[in-house]
Amino acid sequence: SVRNDEAKSRVRGRLRRIEGQVRGVQRMIEEEKYCVDILTQISSYIAASEKVASLVLKDHMDHCVRAALEDGTKAEEKVQELQEAVERFIKLD
């Protein structure tokens, strides 16, 4: 979970913007707007979603993984979990 209050606030703000962008795309489709304009908006919220994922991943590394490495409990498990999360994030599998 996102533990840092500043990071949590940034993530919430970005998610609200993404939510608005998705609603905007739904409205554009209903209004039969030009396909290229719709695709442009979709690419915007995909990029914004990737940024949110990056913030969550950074927070995970800064808190969960660092704590596991520092105290030695489940360090290997956390590193493996991080590796799998990164691979899913960048679609390496």
Side-chain angles (χ1 to χ4, degrees):
S1 68
V2 178
R3 296 168 193 258
N4 178 303
D5 287 337
E6 182 183 335
K8 195 179 292 188
S9 178
R10 285 195 322 250
V11 166
R12 274 195 303 261
R14 288 176 184 273
L15 288 172
R16 283 189 206 102
R17 282 191 296 279
I18 292 166
E19 185 178 32
Q21 289 173 311
V22 171
R23 280 195 304 272
V25 167
Q26 290 171 333
R27 192 170 38 257
M28 290 174 79
I29 290 171
E30 289 301 317
E31 295 171 0
E32 298 181 7
K33 298 293 184 182
Y34 187 55
C35 293
V36 172
D37 293 338
I38 294 169
L39 291 169
T40 299
Q41 289 304 310
I42 290 171
S43 72
S44 292
Y45 71 69
I46 288 171
S49 296
E50 289 172 345
K51 181 60 179 175
V52 168
S54 176
L55 290 170
V56 172
L57 184 61
K58 181 184 182 319
D59 193 74
H60 179 66
M61 289 187 297
D62 288 347
H63 297 282
C64 301
V65 175
R66 184 181 310 267
L69 293 174
E70 286 174 355
D71 70 18
T73 60
K74 300 184 180 182
E76 287 298 319
E77 179 183 326
K78 288 294 179 186
V79 170
Q80 179 66 33
E81 180 183 77
L82 176 60
Q83 180 182 349
E84 291 168 3
V86 169
E87 287 174 356
R88 278 192 306 274
F89 182 63
I90 60 176
K91 297 170 182 64
L92 286 179
D93 56 349

